[in-house]
Amino acid sequence: DTAVSQTPKYLVTQMGNDKSIKCEQNLGHDTMYWYKQDSKKFLKIMFSYNNKELIINETVPNRFSPKSPDKAHLNLHINSLELGDSAVYFCASSLLYGYTFGSGTRLTVV
Amino acid sequence: QQQVKQSPQSLIVQKGGISIINCAYENTAFDYFPWYQQFPGKGPALLIAIRPDVSEKKEGRFTISFNKSAKQFSLHIMDSQPGDSATYFCAASQRGSEKLVFGKGTKLTVNP
């Protein structure tokens, strides 16, 4: 059983398209996150939800919209994709401290 | 503003050697300091973590040393193995927040 699962694993799309990445966790954690890892491996937090409520919203273009239908799911929708959005996006969950990350979604915008 | 500074950016060690990665922070409100290990194509995985009330924590070949007055902490990997080759991230979070701030990572290569 995968603790934090993301789909798809790879996503190649053209500029201007809209895409979604889905994340599910079966750990019973209350908090979920989206992190972006750029080509230099730097991990930067984008959003955090606690029990379906948005608690962290870093400086991210409003083309990125997270949605949490329940505390086990956190999806990321991206509108009007740009070349600079190419990165690996990681979903994670936590209970107090100690994150569990998913295996990532490699997004390539061409 | 980089809240956690990590060095070196890359590190090459011979099998059996000691790997040392250092991190420094400014925010004195940080009270949880984990290290994550990431293999290619995988997400980061929690390796070991420490709180500032202790100066050292050891788990197998991995040790965190923590210097509260200097606001520095480091990861030591004893008897480094080729299977330890990965990217290592230090991180920190502060009281009342689950938000982790990561260092920029260190790519460790252990040669056989």
Side-chain angles (χ1 to χ4, degrees), chain B residues 24-39:
Chain B
Y25 65 97
E26 288 297 325
N27 187 349
T28 55
F30 285 152
D31 73 338
Y32 175 70
F33 302 89
W35 285 89
Y36 281 79
Q37 179 189 55
Q38 185 180 25
F39 293 106

Side-chain angles (χ1 to χ4, degrees), chain A residues 77-93:
Chain A
H77 188 76
I78 315 169
N79 289 327
S80 304
L81 277 154
E82 300 177 355
L83 293 176
D85 297 333
S86 295
V88 181
Y89 293 84
F90 285 101
C91 176
S93 70

Side-chain angles (χ1 to χ4, degrees), chain B residues 2 10 14 28 35-36 41 43 62 67 78 82 84 92 96 100 102 111:
Chain B
Q2 188 184 347
S10 63
Q14 291 299 117
T28 55
W35 285 89
Y36 281 79
F62 299 91
N67 185 329
M78 311 300 288
D84 296 331
L100 272 181
F102 284 87
N111 288 328

Side-chain angles (χ1 to χ4, degrees), chain A residues 22-108:
Chain A
K22 295 186 176 181
C23 178
E24 176 182 4
Q25 56 98 2
N26 62 6
L27 298 167
H29 289 170
D30 288 332
T31 309
M32 296 185 72
Y33 310 82
W34 280 110
Y35 273 78
K36 179 180 181 180
Q37 187 171 50
D38 62 23
S39 58
K40 295 184 179 179
K41 298 284 192 182
F42 183 53
L43 279 161
K44 190 174 189 309
I45 192 168
M46 300 173 69
F47 303 103
S48 173
Y49 270 75
N50 181 278
N51 206 7
K52 300 196 300 177
E53 182 182 345
L54 181 66
I55 56 172
I56 295 174
N57 185 351
E58 295 290 297
T59 308
V60 175
N62 58 15
R63 298 182 294 104
F64 291 78
S65 53
K67 282 187 173 52
S68 181
D70 56 60
K71 77 171 194 176
H73 295 84
L74 180 62
N75 304 322
L76 183 65
H77 188 76
I78 315 169
N79 289 327
S80 304
L81 277 154
E82 300 177 355
L83 293 176
D85 297 333
S86 295
V88 181
Y89 293 84
F90 285 101
C91 176
S93 70
S94 72
L95 183 65
L96 296 178
Y97 297 96
Y99 284 20
T100 301
F101 281 86
S103 57
T105 295
R106 181 174 292 277
L107 171 65
T108 303

